[in-house]
Amino acid sequence: MNKDHKVLYSGMQATGNLTLGNYLGALKNWVGLADEYECYYGVMDLHSLTVRQDPPAFRAHARELMMIYIAAGIDPEKNVLYLQSSVPCHAELAWILNCYTYIGELQRMTQFKDKSAKHADNVNAGLFTYPVLMAADILLYQADVVPVGKDQLQHLEITRDIAQRFNGIYGDVFTVPEPYIGKIGARVMSLQDPSKKMSKSDENPNASIYLLDDPDTIRRKCRRAVTDSEATIAYRDEQPGLKNLFDIYCACTGKTPEEVVHEFAGCGYGQVKEALSEAVIAVLAPLQEKVKELQKDKSYIDNVMKTNAERAYYTANKTLRKVKKKIGLTDVR
Ligand code: TYM
């Protein structure tokens, strides 16, 4: 890891069942960034607690996400890959930053509004202060850039506001992060409702392709994907279902929408779906193979989690100590 490089920070919730959206929209595009940046990627298990988790399944999912990061090609020696909960500084800084964040700001967060409508029986305080924990994640590592999809941009904006407010009072404590503008990942929509993003929390399993789905499941989900009754091969907003299938196909094959429209000219939607499922299977097969291999080597993953937690802690704690000193907390160590 090159310490002279700019710092890049990102992560995913450890809620299990990562989708093709998480992969094509985020993970796939993280590979190779370590050549240019000092990269930190968290398995965000504390964020997952806003939804009730089954403890054994939750533990397994966090571990699985770590394996998926590595299987996708993110080298745990060139990048820092760690479990958020293994670095206590996150929760500590989040508490401090809560005291520099206004209720009105949090009430404006669209994800909070959406999720509290969806989980009306469990609108907990963690769901409300979720963006503050995310700000702590990013600011602890003095990140210059944060690659996230559009759905997370509002959270990055509030992170910037909190950092600027804090710096305004105490001087330059935090680097104010920018969204990472690099190779933009695909925005993958639900296969059952192309007006919604593909999401791991979708209750309809046919709406999402999961990274560890087997080939038959992928074929079945693609066959059932919602299209339209126009029976026209085109890439346009008026045919959102087909457009989404083409976007996924492009992201998997590296082709452009024009090339794809040309390739399928005169075909039926069935042929598009068949080609799409084979393209998705081809992209996921090596990743799934590698996850299977990693699952066999318990001590390797244990070791990655331990050594990387130490590396992350070292950086995070430096920032936390500086913050504590600035605000007047006593350091007795
Ligand atoms: P999460 O776990 O919901 O998503 C992880 C990443 O995947 C992207 N993504 C998608 N991209 C394209 N199409 C989709 N259908 C799709 N679904 C998800 C997201 O934009 C995201 O980049 N709050 C964050 C996790 C987090 C974080 C952080 C991220 C916690 N702390 C600090 C960056 C920095 C989240 O819930 O992502």
Side-chain angles (χ1 to χ4, degrees):
M1 201 165 70
N2 193 330
K3 288 268 177 194
D4 299 333
H5 287 173
K6 285 193 163 183
V7 177
L8 180 144
Y9 190 93
S10 201
M12 293 193 181
Q13 280 202 60
T15 324
N17 289 339
L18 236 64
T19 72
L20 191 61
N22 294 125
Y23 182 68
L24 298 176
L27 189 52
K28 179 171 177 265
N29 310 294
W30 296 351
V31 177
L33 292 177
D35 295 336
E36 259 179 87
Y37 296 94
E38 180 186 329
C39 296
Y40 293 84
Y41 298 111
V43 168
M44 302 308 186
D45 51 357
L46 295 176
H47 277 108
S48 306
L49 292 174
T50 55
V51 176
R52 209 65 77 227
Q53 303 287 338
D54 168 54
F58 181 32
R59 200 171 294 122
H61 278 140
R63 205 179 162 83
E64 188 177 275
L65 181 51
M66 182 64 88
M67 291 189 242
I68 289 176
Y69 281 178
I70 299 170
I74 304 176
D75 182 337
E77 284 178 20
K78 290 195 191 141
N79 303 263
V80 180
L81 303 185
Y82 71 101
L83 294 182
Q84 185 188 30
S85 64
S86 67
V87 180
C89 313
H90 289 249
E92 223 176 322
L93 182 64
W95 169 256
I96 294 172
L97 296 181
N98 267 322
C99 303
Y100 295 83
T101 308
Y102 296 110
I103 286 182
E105 289 178 296
L106 295 173
Q107 277 166 335
R108 283 197 290 277
M109 295 291 115
T110 50
Q111 185 171 298
F112 172 68
K113 289 190 231 170
D114 292 350
K115 292 211 169 167
S116 43
K118 214 161 143 197
H119 303 282
D121 55 334
N122 185 17
V123 184
N124 56 68
L127 194 63
F128 189 58
T129 58
Y130 180 111
V132 184
L133 178 58
M134 184 158 158
D137 301 335
I138 297 167
L139 300 179
L140 274 175
Y141 298 88
Q142 305 288 357
D144 296 285
V145 288
V146 181
V148 280
K150 269 200 191 132
D151 58 314
Q152 295 297 320
L153 281 178
Q154 200 184 23
H155 290 162
L156 189 56
E157 210 35 63
I158 196 175
T159 301
R160 290 169 51 82
D161 292 343
I162 296 169
Q164 276 159 346
R165 180 171 307 139
F166 199 94
N167 287 351
I169 306 171
Y170 302 104
D172 279 343
V173 178
F174 296 125
T175 302
V176 180
E178 303 279 342
Y180 170 76
I181 316 281
K183 208 167 74 196
I184 308 244
R187 182 161 160 79
V188 180
M189 310 310 282
S190 154
L191 297 181
Q192 292 297 312
D193 176 358
S195 67
K196 288 194 319 196
K197 74 163 189 171
M198 185 180 281
S199 159
K200 45 190 177 258
S201 57
D202 202 309
E203 269 146 35
N204 181 352
N206 287 323
S208 310
I209 293 175
Y210 301 119
L211 293 195
L212 302 184
D213 274 349
D214 61 53
D216 283 344
T217 306
I218 295 173
R219 288 189 189 101
R220 183 168 39 79
K221 288 180 177 176
C222 288
R223 265 200 306 273
R224 290 189 185 166
V226 167
T227 45
D228 55 68
S229 52
E230 296 200 26
T232 307
I233 295 291
Y235 179 82
R236 55 192 197 119
D237 292 341
E238 291 74 14
Q239 291 173 268
L242 187 63
K243 186 169 186 243
N244 185 36
L245 301 188
F246 280 158
D247 279 334
I248 301 174
Y249 189 70
C250 289
C252 290
T253 59
K255 294 178 184 169
T256 64
E258 295 72 40
E259 286 170 335
V260 170
V261 168
H262 185 69
E263 177 180 344
F264 291 104
C267 294
Y269 293 165
Q271 285 158 290
V272 173
K273 290 175 174 180
E274 212 179 289
L276 173 69
S277 44
E278 295 318 310
V280 172
I281 291 165
V283 164
L284 296 186
L287 185 137
Q288 296 181 349
E289 237 357 88
K290 185 84 184 127
V291 170
K292 270 191 209 143
E293 254 174 57
L294 289 168
Q295 272 162 343
K296 289 185 205 141
D297 197 347
K298 184 173 176 303
S299 63
Y300 171 71
I301 294 295
D302 285 345
N303 187 43
V304 166
M305 294 206 292
K306 193 164 178 296
T307 51
N308 277 260
E310 280 159 15
R311 292 164 73 203
Y313 178 79
Y314 176 80
T315 309
N317 194 43
K318 262 207 300 211
T319 301
L320 185 63
R321 289 187 65 178
K322 189 166 162 192
V323 167
K324 285 176 156 178
K325 196 166 166 199
K326 287 278 185 190
I327 59 181
L329 291 171
T330 306
D331 189 353
V332 292
R333 259 170 270 159

